[in-house]
Amino acid sequence: MPALSTLVARRVRQGLCVCALAASLTAAVAVNPLPLGGPARAGADESGPGPGSPQSRHRGDPALDLPNLLKEGNKPQGPAGDGVATPGSAGIPATALAAYRKAEGVLRGSQPSCGLPWELVAGIGRVESVHASGYGLRGDGSTVRPIRGPRLDGVEFALIRDTDGGRWDGDAVFDRAVGPMQFIPSTWGSWGADGNGDGVRDPNNMFDAALGTARYLCAGERDLRRSGDLDRAILSYNNSRAYVNAVRKWMDTYRGVGVVETPDGAPAVPHRPDPADRSSGVRPGPGSLPGQGQGQGQVRPMPQRPAGKPAPEPVGKPEPEPVEKPKPVEKPKPQPVVDHRTVTRLEPLGSRELDAGVGHSVARRPQVRAVDAHGHPVPGARITFRIGGTGGIRFATTPATILATVTSDSHGTATAPFLLAGDRPGRCTVVATAPGVRGPAAIFTATVRPAAEPTADRLELWDPETANLPELLRAETGSRFPGLPSLRATDRARPASGVRITATLLPADREEGAVDSTVGPYFEGAHGEAVRTLTLPPAGADGRVTLPTLFTDQRPGTYTLRLTTPSGTVLDFPLTVTPPGNGPRTS
């Protein structure tokens, strides 16, 4: 019988072990639903928030610790900032709390059917970066140090190739999650928002990132007051059940207790979503010896004795314990980090199309804003504007030049000098460049238009008191008119300098639509031929127009000398041609 009872006890213990193993495997799958064959792959498309979007991929290590529930008599305490919850922790830095509440207010106005609570955004901010604690959070929402996840090269985390040219994450080969809410750059391109109203959508800014998170969670007509929609929204942010559990626990904690507004600059060890950032300064874990394991991520456990067994008496000289040499730690490869003083992009301000008439100045000066990898303006940057093309445009400097270098102001804005168009029409470009900018240059196109043709809205006699005007407009056949009067051309009561008047000779009994006459008075052309339509020399600076000599043929009769401006203003003079002996005769 004793043997039988021993056998039964052994079988029971084996069954319990199998059940425990199965339960542990099931829990592991629930915590991490990613495939076992390696890191998840994601493309650059952000077709819509869902469990297959790039944002939901395994993109870093979130802080999945759960809050300690408040006990009666406990007061809420601020977050530890290092991913370890403190008893009753419900503190949020003042700027982060303001950003979460502002995001809720914006969505309440734009998408009231979503029912977004600020505590949900705060829950994600807590799990992603512990509200940017320890990163130097400022009152405007920016941080002193950038918050970046690991390089998504497919080795340990998802494979997501670069989608932003390194603009936000400083990596032009692979993407990294960025900012306090850890956005994938392509996701930010679709759902990013300007939460602080500075005109820039920056995932590194707490106000912008909180509003972008709110918009992303409310996409797809979700109603976050429904538990199923709430779960789907959080899974679209990170496709992990453990992540959902942590976010919901923190959300419920912030809802259930009086949240404490803590100072932005309160001392805190930042939560680092990139494991490579923890290669130095790692805090020893439970059971480690103080001062050991620092810098190598290794800890040495305290020696333990079995319970109830007394310590052995020392016999003779104690043997020294073997000292295990620490394994060398492979240093992570340095990644390019762009600070706030390096210009990575130039943003054109206003229209890129410029124009001017020949010989005139261009009305608008080209302007660009110099920004760094986080979208922040860079003051004091040296920006060079260069002109190229056929329009003959030059900077109106002394001497005139096609190259000008200016310094950006406190808002990162650089303005080119005034541009002056040359004496011929054409097109040219104005290209703005800055040292360190690897992306496309800021290019403006300037068009030099031909000078507008002068026109006149009034024609009148130069000397209205001209004597014997009828005699001047009368001649015999086979002769010429003694002298036509001079005219004054004006445009809006000012001399129409340079206007060209067209003179046309018409028969008095002309048919409607007739262009000119085929007989009667005529002007001489360049080769002495008879012409009856002639464009006169341009008017002088005083608007004076002098008519050339007008000849007659052998056809007597009445005719009309019509003078027309480019704008259609007309002045007619009646002409009379008589047989010989009936009019003033000129040789």
Side-chain angles (χ1 to χ4, degrees):
M1 291 298 292
L4 178 59
S5 59
T6 301
L7 178 61
V8 170
R10 184 180 303 166
R11 294 298 186 187
V12 169
R13 285 196 300 271
Q14 290 176 350
L16 292 175
C17 290
V18 170
C19 292
L21 176 61
S24 64
L25 291 176
T26 301
V29 172
V31 171
N32 184 8
L34 298 174
L36 299 177
R41 299 171 63 91
D45 292 335
E46 186 68 50
S47 56
S53 62
Q55 183 66 26
S56 70
R57 302 297 185 180
H58 190 32
R59 50 181 166 74
D61 286 344
L64 296 180
D65 53 286
L66 301 180
N68 292 332
L69 297 179
L70 288 174
K71 297 181 180 179
E72 186 176 355
N74 282 355
K75 293 183 179 180
Q77 300 177 10
D82 56 1
V84 177
T86 59
S89 58
I92 299 177
T95 296
L97 183 59
Y100 301 147
R101 286 173 170 166
K102 185 174 182 181
E104 179 193 49
V106 172
L107 267 291
R108 187 186 306 120
S110 62
Q111 293 179 253
S113 61
C114 177
L116 173 92
W118 69 262
E119 293 90 347
L120 171 59
V121 184
I124 289 182
R126 174 57 174 79
V127 172
E128 293 292 353
S129 69
V130 192
H131 312 301
S133 299
Y135 286 93
L137 182 61
R138 303 186 180 102
D140 63 356
S142 63
T143 57
V144 175
R145 292 174 296 282
I147 308 173
R148 292 178 181 160
R151 198 179 201 204
L152 300 178
D153 54 6
V155 176
E156 185 178 357
F157 298 94
L159 173 59
I160 304 181
R161 303 193 184 279
D162 175 64
T163 59
D164 66 337
R167 174 185 179 184
W168 299 119
D169 57 9
D171 193 326
V173 180
F174 296 99
D175 268 348
R176 295 167 175 258
V178 292
M181 309 304 274
Q182 287 292 279
F183 270 102
I184 294 294
S186 63
T187 305
W188 182 255
S190 299
W191 302 98
D194 179 13
N196 59 359
D198 64 353
V200 178
R201 298 186 306 164
D202 183 1
N204 298 284
N205 183 281
M206 179 59 84
F207 287 97
D208 294 359
L211 183 55
T213 298
R215 292 184 63 235
Y216 183 84
L217 294 170
C218 283
E221 304 298 328
R222 294 186 181 121
D223 183 352
L224 300 180
R225 290 162 293 202
R226 299 174 181 171
S227 181
D229 280 3
L230 178 60
D231 273 7
R232 281 186 287 272
I234 302 174
L235 284 170
S236 74
Y237 212 93
N238 189 314
N239 191 18
S240 163
R241 179 50 59 182
Y243 184 92
V244 174
N245 293 341
V247 169
R248 294 192 66 153
K249 283 290 185 182
W250 283 108
M251 179 183 72
D252 292 341
T253 298
Y254 295 141
R255 278 177 164 175
V257 300
V259 174
V260 174
E261 183 181 288
T262 61
D264 291 341
V269 177
H271 166 72
R272 295 182 173 91
D274 184 359
D277 289 344
R278 305 174 203 158
S279 59
S280 61
V282 176
R283 186 184 65 257
S288 62
L289 290 174
Q292 295 186 4
Q294 300 290 334
Q296 288 92 18
Q298 301 175 351
V299 294
R300 179 177 295 176
M302 293 286 289
Q304 303 291 328
R305 287 198 308 272
K309 185 175 181 179
E313 294 292 335
V315 179
K317 187 177 181 181
E319 293 289 333
E321 291 187 8
V323 178
E324 181 182 356
K325 295 183 179 179
K327 297 180 180 179
V329 177
E330 182 180 355
K331 293 182 180 180
K333 296 181 180 179
Q335 299 297 332
V337 177
V338 183
D339 62 25
H340 292 274
R341 295 167 296 180
T342 301
V343 180
T344 60
R345 183 167 49 89
L346 297 178
E347 296 178 342
L349 301 179
S351 172
R352 300 191 189 196
E353 298 294 328
L354 312 172
D355 70 275
V358 168
H360 290 75
S361 61
V362 178
R364 195 172 61 81
R365 299 158 66 183
Q367 277 189 324
V368 297
R369 179 184 289 118
V371 297
D372 63 14
H374 309 296
H376 300 145
V378 180
R382 301 285 287 173
I383 312 298
T384 298
F385 294 89
R386 183 186 297 273
I387 301 173
T390 60
I393 284 183
R394 294 290 185 273
F395 289 114
T397 54
T398 305
T401 179
I402 63 171
L403 190 69
T405 300
V406 298
T407 302
S408 61
D409 61 17
S410 59
H411 302 288
T413 301
T415 305
F418 282 102
L419 295 167
L420 182 63
D423 57 359
R424 64 183 185 276
R427 289 173 65 86
C428 64
T429 57
V430 182
V431 181
T433 59
V437 175
R438 298 185 298 273
I443 301 177
F444 298 83
T445 301
T447 302
V448 180
R449 296 176 279 99
E453 185 176 354
T455 187
D457 57 17
R458 182 177 176 82
L459 289 174
E460 58 187 358
L461 291 173
W462 179 263
D463 184 3
E465 304 299 329
T466 301
N468 299 322
L469 180 59
E471 293 298 321
L472 296 178
L473 304 178
R474 184 183 182 90
E476 295 181 351
T477 58
S479 66
R480 61 183 177 182
F481 287 84
L484 298 177
S486 296
L487 305 174
R488 176 185 287 109
T490 58
D491 186 55
R492 288 173 288 187
R494 291 179 295 181
S497 173
V499 68
R500 298 178 72 89
I501 308 299
T502 300
T504 306
L505 293 159
L506 302 168
D509 56 349
R510 65 189 180 278
E511 296 180 0
E512 186 68 27
V515 177
D516 57 18
S517 180
T518 57
V519 295
Y522 63 90
F523 297 108
E524 285 189 347
H527 304 288
E529 73 278 12
V531 295
R532 292 179 172 85
T533 297
L534 181 68
T535 299
L536 306 180
D542 53 2
R544 185 165 186 163
V545 179
T546 301
L547 299 174
T549 302
L550 184 61
F551 299 91
T552 63
D553 61 7
Q554 301 302 321
R555 189 69 61 90
T558 57
Y559 302 89
T560 298
L561 172 60
R562 171 163 292 178
L563 303 171
T564 308
T565 70
S567 61
T569 301
V570 174
L571 179 63
D572 288 343
F573 287 106
L575 301 176
T576 302
V577 178
T578 62
N582 292 322
R585 194 171 176 80
T586 58
S587 55

